[in-house]
Amino acid sequence: MYDFAYSYLRWSRDRYKLVETMTPIYYGRVASFIMETADLTTDEAGEVVERQAEVFEREKAYLLERLGNWEMAVSPV
């Protein structure tokens, strides 16, 4: 997801087409979540979402590093 976000920000062509390429991945992720949480209570499903958010937050530095490297490459010194 972070690589996609990075690509989206740098994409100079039709961003709609880029987003369109992610649609099958999105639907797959939604289906996976439904299957994973189908037999859980609302609170248990919330815990699954919370764990995913924690991973997303832990990995945020990766995106920020990529963006920082990109900004250094395109910004005049």
Side-chain angles (χ1 to χ4, degrees):
M1 283 308 306
Y2 283 126
D3 288 328
F4 175 78
Y6 175 77
S7 296
Y8 181 86
L9 291 171
R10 297 201 57 206
W11 200 258
S12 60
R13 293 167 287 213
D14 184 2
R15 285 183 170 170
Y16 178 79
K17 289 285 187 189
L18 181 64
V19 171
E20 201 173 62
T21 65
M22 289 294 293
T23 301
I25 295 169
Y26 168 77
Y27 287 138
R29 183 63 197 110
V30 169
S32 175
F33 176 77
I34 290 168
M35 290 171 48
E36 181 181 358
T37 60
D39 297 327
L40 301 180
T41 66
T42 301
D43 288 340
E44 291 168 334
E47 290 173 16
V48 171
V49 172
E50 184 62 33
R51 286 193 302 271
Q52 291 172 354
E54 289 169 359
V55 170
F56 191 78
E57 191 173 332
R58 269 196 315 270
E59 298 299 323
K60 183 179 175 182
Y62 171 77
L63 175 63
L64 295 176
E65 179 181 337
R66 288 207 61 194
L67 290 174
N69 290 337
W70 173 52
E71 288 175 359
M72 288 188 300
V74 297
S75 297
V77 178

